[in-house]
Amino acid sequence: AQKVTQAQTEISVVEKEDVTLDCVYETRDTTYYLFWYKQPPSGELVFLIRRNSFDEQNEISGRYSWNFQKSTSSFNFTITASQVVDSAVYFCALIVTGGGNKLTFGTGTQLKVEL
Amino acid sequence: GAGVSQTPSNKVTEKGKYVELRCDPISGHTALYWYRQSLGQGPEFLIYFQGTGAADDSGLPNDRFFAVRPEGSVSTLKIQRTERGDSAVYLCASSSTSGGLKGNEQFFGPGTRLTVL
């Protein structure tokens, strides 16, 4: 069975600091997809990024960047120069091709960005 | 275009009652998913529809839970004889099948907060 672990329950930073959210996954499938979702206080999950298991290139989108390393089964998410609007719960999730198309989520990391 | 919508946004019911939660997916999305999110946890998969049929219902916790999607668009999650432990936010998501279904991003609705007293 697949599993996603987000060991950081809560992180607090001061605005403009950089912050990295950790994600470690477990699966025996060789083909899988990794995701990050943001859940602001309003509650709606917002899709941020998808990576497939064959593409280990890191990705940057504005202040967001993602580091995918198959060797350590990690898919970490970094926010550069954090802002108060980044405060939310962030979920890492996994889809394995042998398991239908259902998302397996981690328990989430609550990020608080303070002035 | 419009995103995934869910009604009601909040539902309070008494233990033992029957409830129906509705999901209206993004137009054209053939895949529809239901998840349940308890406080402080990540969403947990319940059931997935491809078109009108349930392709995977392995996440339904017991036979009190049932979902339908009769015309391949709107879906209804039905819970019989509700229990206090059913209290959670029920999330619906949809995805397209363009380019194949596997790994396509799922777009979530705002959820229905169910409280069983």
Side-chain angles (χ1 to χ4, degrees), chain A residues 65-84:
Chain A
S65 62
W66 289 270
N67 183 282
F68 176 26
Q69 293 198 342
K70 287 179 76 170
S71 60
T72 55
S73 297
S74 65
F75 186 44
N76 296 337
F77 172 31
T78 297
I79 301 174
T80 303
S82 59
Q83 299 176 1
V84 172

Side-chain angles (χ1 to χ4, degrees), chain A residues 33 35 37 39 42-45 47 50 91 95-103 105-108, chain B residues 4 33 35 37 40-43 45 48 56 58 91 95 101-110:
Chain A
Y33 301 84
F35 300 79
Y37 280 86
Q39 190 172 43
S42 61
E44 192 157 342
L45 281 161
F47 166 79
R50 175 190 65 175
F91 290 98
I95 286 176
V96 298
T97 54
N101 207 46
K102 58 189 174 190
L103 283 160
F105 284 87
T107 51
Chain B
V4 177
Y33 313 79
Y35 293 84
Q37 186 174 21
Q41 300 296 314
F45 170 78
Y48 147 54
D56 182 355
S58 61
L91 296 166
S95 65
L101 176 63
K102 289 298 184 181
N104 282 359
E105 54 263 40
Q106 297 176 21
F107 296 91
F108 283 80

